[in-house]
Amino acid sequence: MAEAHQAVGFRPSLTSDGAEVDLSASVLQEIYLSGLRSWKRHLCRFWNDFLTGVFPASPLSWLFLFSAIQLAWFLQLDPSLGLTEKIKELLPDWGAQHHRLRGVLAAALFASCLWGALIFTLHVALRLLLSYHGWLLEPHGAMSSPTKTWLALVRIFSGRHPMLFSYQRSLPRQPVPSVQDTVHKYLESVRPVLSDEDFDWTAVLAQEFLRLQASLLQWYLQLKSWWASNYVTDWWEEFVYLRSRNSLMVNSNYYMMDFLYVTPTPVQAARAGNAVHALLLYRHHLNRQEILPTLLMGVRPLCSAQYEKIFNTTRIPGVQKDHIRHLRDSRHVAVFHRGRFFRVGTHSQSGLLSPRDLEQQFQRILDDPSPACPHEEHLAALTAAPRDTWAQVRRSLKSQAEDALEAVEGAAFFVSLDSEPAGLAREDPAASLDAYAHALLAGRGHDRWYDKSFTLIVFSNGKLGLSVEHSWADCPISGHMWEFTLATECFQLGYSVDGHCKGHPDPSLPRPQRLHWDLPEKIHLSISLALRGAKTLSGDVDCHVFPFSHFGKSFIKRCHLSSDSFIQMALQLAHFRDRGQFCLTYESTMTRLFLEGRTETVRSCTREACSFVRAMEDKEKTDSQCLALFRLAVDKHQALLKAAMSGQGADRHLFALCIVAQFLHLQSPFLDQVHSEQWQLATSQIPVQQTHLFDVHNYPDYVSSGGGFGPIDDHGYGVSYIFMGDEMITFHISSKKSSTKTDSHRLGQHIEDALLDVASLFQEGKRLKRGCRGRGEEGPRGYRCGPLPCHPRGSMAPMPSTNF
């Protein structure tokens, strides 16, 4: 998602003011420290890892094995083939009276060694099995005999009842691709967007790189891949996120939306109470590792490492580099309302506060008439300032208001109680959704603490949203948490008839603590400047959200196509109609098949995609010809997607090569060109991961409408999309108002038209046109080819059953 903006802005050798970054450390030292950090993380998790470390076995299996050995001894059998007697001889002689104790200890030691050997064998076998990626490369809907055998073996070796981190020790490490293959894939990806002369020059630079520098840089990456958990992830987090000096607002943070058509209650404090309680329930499950690991095809586990920093986490600004501060626990949340900050405890002596108690605390804040202190109202704008500026100001702030700053940075998460309503409005559905997205992405520039791992935003009409900091994890992780939160607060916790949380509040609870900031005079100007910059950045963002309801995932499945590839090709067609040219396209996909994997880039603008788009714009081409080219483009996209997921993408490898070159102070014109590219279209699909929590057939309105991110380039677009059930797709588009080349609403119209045009290539899709334009014709303006349905319900929506 928003990582595309950070990747585009990545310049490993420069700070924001153009000064050289000190990368004088030896590359070997950096690799050593990278591995040391990996091992330190493993040691910190030791106690949790005990249960997950013996998985797929369990502690009870040791007891069973020991009992079996003792039973064999009772029956005068020796399953150890004499090893137990050898162990007994090595034990101290405590006299004849302790002879039986020596026998029990020897049997216990033998059982432990045998148990450990069996666990090690299971881990090795499972890691070898999980290193197989042939299932990814098979045609959609087909499964070969080797893959069926592989699935059966994975099920056998995977054990039962896994915990969240059970598979971490068995996940393979991300492989370092062949540098020749990476360069070939890169050249293939840029061919559609370069002239013949530019491409030939790029090819010359690539060959020079392969001949002079590639082998040395590749050797260092191979060394790191053997020593560290992942050869690229820690550098990606450091150089793309933590060393970026840009504002987090719009450039890095992304947002998640509430239900589109319904709001379970219009009572702001009640919605906040249920949502906060649900989030803390999720944290409780997370701490106990009761969240099930994500399994592809029901058997292939994904890495769960990113879940560790969802809560109690803050990104602390630094002059040259930020760092992530994560606390083991936090028993309060920080709340912002009308320019004031509060500390709200989330636990009492008996445990987690009930939703009704939390509602009472939030209502007390809403009813508090005290005004904000001078400059306190706009203090949070500093977190939207350039990172080096905020780092310098924070030093003064910490010395003068350490307790208040610690209450915010040490909170489980940040809560913003907004004074304005948001969400879909019947009077103007298009404009209201756009305003909703803008409020979540940027707010007013001073009402979010952008450093926190996430901010829960509760609007005055009960609508919810999230603003998420990107460095600690990627969208699927926060999305998983958000799905649980919406389902739990709505379906499980529920609301009373009058819209309040269920239960009765405890009036003896201490009131929320107002935080007081002793702001030194010298930072008043910094706050004003930060606010001005935040408002400028916020005012320049053009957000557009629209649900496409003509068809959804079910229609694409009936066409026997990948839903993601279908959308990506439609986006290529829409962007070409919008700009009249092709551009490099950034699509984010995950590499969590590997230990500590994060993301890889799929370059969706391929030669096959360009051929399809040109055919669609050529009125002499028939539908059958366009359909044939479309299928070729989809197949190519699927091949790139599967290669990226299996660790054979090009961009992360090129990034890591560039970092090593910087450490070695090697100049590479080829790598310089790679990282000077302009991505004018960044795309991302938001996955729906927990379909069992929602009944999309009986209650299709109770599905999250996804989220979005800011534009990645001053003259580019950011586009995300989510499949809402089987019959709707929601798109989130962003661009800069200051650009004369982009218009989020114009691109939205092109996307809708492109989807309908692509669908019309199929026999079933021809009836979906409904009078909309055909290929090459001008389409109608206005809100989407049919307005959003206005449901005949009040602000209190009917509740589905809670037996999910």
Side-chain angles (χ1 to χ4, degrees), residues 329-354:
D329 192 22
S330 177
R331 299 171 74 85
H332 74 276
V333 294
V335 181
F336 180 88
H337 177 246
R338 289 197 297 111
R340 303 160 304 162
F341 293 83
F342 295 85
R343 183 188 188 277
V344 176
T346 56
H347 292 71
S348 64
Q349 292 182 349
S350 58
L352 177 63
L353 292 183
S354 70

mmCIF file of all heavy atoms in Angstrom, residues 329-354:
data_model
loop_
_atom_site.group_PDB
_atom_site.id
_atom_site.type_symbol
_atom_site.label_atom_id
_atom_site.label_comp_id
_atom_site.label_asym_id
_atom_site.label_seq_id
_atom_site.Cartn_x
_atom_site.Cartn_y
_atom_site.Cartn_z
ATOM 1 N N ASP A 329 3.619 -4.368 27.584
ATOM 2 C CA ASP A 329 2.218 -4.215 27.979
ATOM 3 C C ASP A 329 1.922 -2.739 28.199
ATOM 4 O O ASP A 329 2.817 -1.933 28.465
ATOM 5 C CB ASP A 329 1.925 -5.007 29.260
ATOM 6 C CG ASP A 329 0.429 -5.112 29.531
ATOM 7 O OD1 ASP A 329 -0.358 -4.961 28.585
ATOM 8 O OD2 ASP A 329 0.048 -5.339 30.695
ATOM 9 N N SER A 330 0.662 -2.396 28.072
ATOM 10 C CA SER A 330 0.189 -1.050 28.375
ATOM 11 C C SER A 330 -1.259 -1.172 28.804
ATOM 12 O O SER A 330 -2.053 -1.857 28.140
ATOM 13 C CB SER A 330 0.313 -0.130 27.156
ATOM 14 O OG SER A 330 -0.209 1.153 27.448
ATOM 15 N N ARG A 331 -1.625 -0.518 29.880
ATOM 16 C CA ARG A 331 -2.960 -0.660 30.441
ATOM 17 C C ARG A 331 -3.759 0.640 30.354
ATOM 18 O O ARG A 331 -4.593 0.933 31.207
ATOM 19 C CB ARG A 331 -2.866 -1.150 31.886
ATOM 20 C CG ARG A 331 -2.185 -2.509 31.990
ATOM 21 C CD ARG A 331 -1.886 -2.894 33.424
ATOM 22 N NE ARG A 331 -3.079 -3.285 34.157
ATOM 23 C CZ ARG A 331 -3.598 -4.507 34.155
ATOM 24 N NH1 ARG A 331 -3.028 -5.467 33.433
ATOM 25 N NH2 ARG A 331 -4.674 -4.794 34.869
ATOM 26 N N HIS A 332 -3.471 1.403 29.297
ATOM 27 C CA HIS A 332 -4.252 2.617 29.067
ATOM 28 C C HIS A 332 -4.210 2.967 27.585
ATOM 29 O O HIS A 332 -3.368 2.460 26.833
ATOM 30 C CB HIS A 332 -3.718 3.781 29.906
ATOM 31 C CG HIS A 332 -2.427 4.352 29.390
ATOM 32 N ND1 HIS A 332 -1.184 3.814 29.688
ATOM 33 C CD2 HIS A 332 -2.173 5.420 28.585
ATOM 34 C CE1 HIS A 332 -0.236 4.515 29.105
ATOM 35 N NE2 HIS A 332 -0.802 5.500 28.426
ATOM 36 N N VAL A 333 -5.135 3.808 27.176
ATOM 37 C CA VAL A 333 -5.124 4.376 25.828
ATOM 38 C C VAL A 333 -5.049 5.888 25.966
ATOM 39 O O VAL A 333 -5.497 6.462 26.971
ATOM 40 C CB VAL A 333 -6.369 3.973 25.005
ATOM 41 C CG1 VAL A 333 -6.374 2.482 24.739
ATOM 42 C CG2 VAL A 333 -7.658 4.402 25.696
ATOM 43 N N ALA A 334 -4.464 6.533 24.967
ATOM 44 C CA ALA A 334 -4.426 7.998 24.920
ATOM 45 C C ALA A 334 -5.570 8.473 24.037
ATOM 46 O O ALA A 334 -5.813 7.909 22.964
ATOM 47 C CB ALA A 334 -3.089 8.474 24.366
ATOM 48 N N VAL A 335 -6.292 9.497 24.492
ATOM 49 C CA VAL A 335 -7.497 9.962 23.803
ATOM 50 C C VAL A 335 -7.349 11.449 23.486
ATOM 51 O O VAL A 335 -6.900 12.237 24.334
ATOM 52 C CB VAL A 335 -8.756 9.724 24.659
ATOM 53 C CG1 VAL A 335 -10.001 10.184 23.914
ATOM 54 C CG2 VAL A 335 -8.881 8.255 25.036
ATOM 55 N N PHE A 336 -7.753 11.816 22.271
ATOM 56 C CA PHE A 336 -7.737 13.218 21.839
ATOM 57 C C PHE A 336 -9.165 13.655 21.538
ATOM 58 O O PHE A 336 -9.897 12.958 20.812
ATOM 59 C CB PHE A 336 -6.858 13.369 20.592
ATOM 60 C CG PHE A 336 -6.778 14.773 20.064
ATOM 61 C CD1 PHE A 336 -5.818 15.657 20.530
ATOM 62 C CD2 PHE A 336 -7.667 15.214 19.086
ATOM 63 C CE1 PHE A 336 -5.739 16.954 20.040
ATOM 64 C CE2 PHE A 336 -7.601 16.508 18.592
ATOM 65 C CZ PHE A 336 -6.631 17.375 19.069
ATOM 66 N N HIS A 337 -9.553 14.799 22.082
ATOM 67 C CA HIS A 337 -10.886 15.353 21.805
ATOM 68 C C HIS A 337 -10.841 16.867 21.947
ATOM 69 O O HIS A 337 -10.423 17.398 22.984
ATOM 70 C CB HIS A 337 -11.928 14.776 22.763
ATOM 71 C CG HIS A 337 -13.290 15.365 22.568
ATOM 72 N ND1 HIS A 337 -13.921 16.146 23.517
ATOM 73 C CD2 HIS A 337 -14.142 15.299 21.514
ATOM 74 C CE1 HIS A 337 -15.101 16.532 23.065
ATOM 75 N NE2 HIS A 337 -15.273 16.026 21.858
ATOM 76 N N ARG A 338 -11.244 17.567 20.919
ATOM 77 C CA ARG A 338 -11.309 19.036 20.897
ATOM 78 C C ARG A 338 -10.030 19.682 21.436
ATOM 79 O O ARG A 338 -10.059 20.578 22.266
ATOM 80 C CB ARG A 338 -12.526 19.536 21.676
ATOM 81 C CG ARG A 338 -13.855 19.249 20.988
ATOM 82 C CD ARG A 338 -14.993 20.085 21.521
ATOM 83 N NE ARG A 338 -15.275 19.814 22.929
ATOM 84 C CZ ARG A 338 -15.030 20.697 23.908
ATOM 85 N NH1 ARG A 338 -14.492 21.877 23.655
ATOM 86 N NH2 ARG A 338 -15.323 20.374 25.156
ATOM 87 N N GLY A 339 -8.898 19.189 20.939
ATOM 88 C CA GLY A 339 -7.630 19.805 21.278
ATOM 89 C C GLY A 339 -7.063 19.416 22.619
ATOM 90 O O GLY A 339 -6.026 19.948 23.025
ATOM 91 N N ARG A 340 -7.695 18.466 23.326
ATOM 92 C CA ARG A 340 -7.217 18.055 24.647
ATOM 93 C C ARG A 340 -6.821 16.584 24.631
ATOM 94 O O ARG A 340 -7.397 15.777 23.885
ATOM 95 C CB ARG A 340 -8.324 18.275 25.687
ATOM 96 C CG ARG A 340 -8.829 19.717 25.736
ATOM 97 C CD ARG A 340 -10.204 19.780 26.389
ATOM 98 N NE ARG A 340 -11.162 18.926 25.709
ATOM 99 C CZ ARG A 340 -12.308 18.531 26.253
ATOM 100 N NH1 ARG A 340 -12.647 18.929 27.467
ATOM 101 N NH2 ARG A 340 -13.126 17.747 25.569
ATOM 102 N N PHE A 341 -5.859 16.251 25.458
ATOM 103 C CA PHE A 341 -5.365 14.880 25.556
ATOM 104 C C PHE A 341 -5.764 14.293 26.908
ATOM 105 O O PHE A 341 -5.691 14.969 27.943
ATOM 106 C CB PHE A 341 -3.841 14.838 25.421
ATOM 107 C CG PHE A 341 -3.340 15.226 24.061
ATOM 108 C CD1 PHE A 341 -3.184 16.562 23.715
ATOM 109 C CD2 PHE A 341 -3.008 14.261 23.128
ATOM 110 C CE1 PHE A 341 -2.710 16.923 22.468
ATOM 111 C CE2 PHE A 341 -2.542 14.605 21.875
ATOM 112 C CZ PHE A 341 -2.381 15.937 21.543
ATOM 113 N N PHE A 342 -6.158 13.012 26.892
ATOM 114 C CA PHE A 342 -6.550 12.319 28.111
ATOM 115 C C PHE A 342 -5.884 10.944 28.169
ATOM 116 O O PHE A 342 -5.590 10.331 27.137
ATOM 117 C CB PHE A 342 -8.078 12.127 28.170
ATOM 118 C CG PHE A 342 -8.859 13.395 28.256
ATOM 119 C CD1 PHE A 342 -9.181 14.103 27.096
ATOM 120 C CD2 PHE A 342 -9.274 13.891 29.472
ATOM 121 C CE1 PHE A 342 -9.911 15.277 27.158
ATOM 122 C CE2 PHE A 342 -10.008 15.067 29.552
ATOM 123 C CZ PHE A 342 -10.324 15.766 28.393
ATOM 124 N N ARG A 343 -5.685 10.503 29.384
ATOM 125 C CA ARG A 343 -5.226 9.132 29.633
ATOM 126 C C ARG A 343 -6.399 8.351 30.213
ATOM 127 O O ARG A 343 -6.927 8.697 31.265
ATOM 128 C CB ARG A 343 -4.056 9.128 30.611
ATOM 129 C CG ARG A 343 -3.457 7.757 30.893
ATOM 130 C CD ARG A 343 -2.446 7.842 32.028
ATOM 131 N NE ARG A 343 -1.713 6.598 32.201
ATOM 132 C CZ ARG A 343 -2.153 5.553 32.897
ATOM 133 N NH1 ARG A 343 -3.353 5.618 33.477
ATOM 134 N NH2 ARG A 343 -1.420 4.461 33.014
ATOM 135 N N VAL A 344 -6.801 7.271 29.525
ATOM 136 C CA VAL A 344 -7.941 6.463 29.961
ATOM 137 C C VAL A 344 -7.444 5.066 30.303
ATOM 138 O O VAL A 344 -6.947 4.349 29.415
ATOM 139 C CB VAL A 344 -9.039 6.396 28.873
ATOM 140 C CG1 VAL A 344 -10.171 5.478 29.316
ATOM 141 C CG2 VAL A 344 -9.568 7.788 28.569
ATOM 142 N N GLY A 345 -7.566 4.675 31.553
ATOM 143 C CA GLY A 345 -7.191 3.330 31.954
ATOM 144 C C GLY A 345 -8.128 2.299 31.334
ATOM 145 O O GLY A 345 -9.335 2.539 31.201
ATOM 146 N N THR A 346 -7.574 1.171 30.958
ATOM 147 C CA THR A 346 -8.376 0.131 30.299
ATOM 148 C C THR A 346 -8.616 -1.078 31.194
ATOM 149 O O THR A 346 -9.350 -1.979 30.815
ATOM 150 C CB THR A 346 -7.675 -0.335 29.014
ATOM 151 O OG1 THR A 346 -6.345 -0.780 29.334
ATOM 152 C CG2 THR A 346 -7.604 0.799 28.002
ATOM 153 N N HIS A 347 -7.986 -1.081 32.370
ATOM 154 C CA HIS A 347 -8.108 -2.226 33.262
ATOM 155 C C HIS A 347 -8.405 -1.757 34.689
ATOM 156 O O HIS A 347 -7.980 -0.664 35.097
ATOM 157 C CB HIS A 347 -6.833 -3.070 33.274
ATOM 158 C CG HIS A 347 -6.556 -3.776 31.980
ATOM 159 N ND1 HIS A 347 -6.153 -3.112 30.831
ATOM 160 C CD2 HIS A 347 -6.623 -5.097 31.653
ATOM 161 C CE1 HIS A 347 -5.982 -3.984 29.861
ATOM 162 N NE2 HIS A 347 -6.262 -5.190 30.331
ATOM 163 N N SER A 348 -9.100 -2.570 35.409
ATOM 164 C CA SER A 348 -9.283 -2.386 36.842
ATOM 165 C C SER A 348 -8.625 -3.571 37.543
ATOM 166 O O SER A 348 -7.991 -4.416 36.898
ATOM 167 C CB SER A 348 -10.774 -2.318 37.185
ATOM 168 O OG SER A 348 -11.412 -3.552 36.887
ATOM 169 N N GLN A 349 -8.782 -3.665 38.841
ATOM 170 C CA GLN A 349 -8.183 -4.777 39.568
ATOM 171 C C GLN A 349 -8.769 -6.110 39.148
ATOM 172 O O GLN A 349 -8.111 -7.150 39.249
ATOM 173 C CB GLN A 349 -8.383 -4.575 41.077
ATOM 174 C CG GLN A 349 -7.588 -3.396 41.637
ATOM 175 C CD GLN A 349 -7.776 -3.249 43.138
ATOM 176 O OE1 GLN A 349 -8.642 -3.890 43.730
ATOM 177 N NE2 GLN A 349 -6.948 -2.399 43.746
ATOM 178 N N SER A 350 -9.988 -6.088 38.645
ATOM 179 C CA SER A 350 -10.639 -7.338 38.229
ATOM 180 C C SER A 350 -10.380 -7.685 36.773
ATOM 181 O O SER A 350 -10.843 -8.724 36.300
ATOM 182 C CB SER A 350 -12.142 -7.246 38.471
ATOM 183 O OG SER A 350 -12.698 -6.138 37.777
ATOM 184 N N GLY A 351 -9.672 -6.819 36.054
ATOM 185 C CA GLY A 351 -9.350 -7.132 34.667
ATOM 186 C C GLY A 351 -9.770 -6.041 33.708
ATOM 187 O O GLY A 351 -9.932 -4.875 34.085
ATOM 188 N N LEU A 352 -9.954 -6.426 32.454
ATOM 189 C CA LEU A 352 -10.308 -5.484 31.397
ATOM 190 C C LEU A 352 -11.660 -4.841 31.672
ATOM 191 O O LEU A 352 -12.633 -5.523 32.030
ATOM 192 C CB LEU A 352 -10.334 -6.215 30.049
ATOM 193 C CG LEU A 352 -10.757 -5.413 28.818
ATOM 194 C CD1 LEU A 352 -9.793 -4.272 28.554
ATOM 195 C CD2 LEU A 352 -10.828 -6.346 27.596
ATOM 196 N N LEU A 353 -11.733 -3.516 31.513
ATOM 197 C CA LEU A 353 -12.995 -2.805 31.713
ATOM 198 C C LEU A 353 -14.022 -3.279 30.689
ATOM 199 O O LEU A 353 -13.703 -3.583 29.539
ATOM 200 C CB LEU A 353 -12.788 -1.301 31.573
ATOM 201 C CG LEU A 353 -11.951 -0.592 32.641
ATOM 202 C CD1 LEU A 353 -11.913 0.906 32.360
ATOM 203 C CD2 LEU A 353 -12.479 -0.867 34.034
ATOM 204 N N SER A 354 -15.271 -3.315 31.121
ATOM 205 C CA SER A 354 -16.354 -3.719 30.222
ATOM 206 C C SER A 354 -16.596 -2.626 29.187
ATOM 207 O O SER A 354 -16.214 -1.462 29.386
ATOM 208 C CB SER A 354 -17.625 -3.959 31.029
ATOM 209 O OG SER A 354 -18.131 -2.722 31.525
#
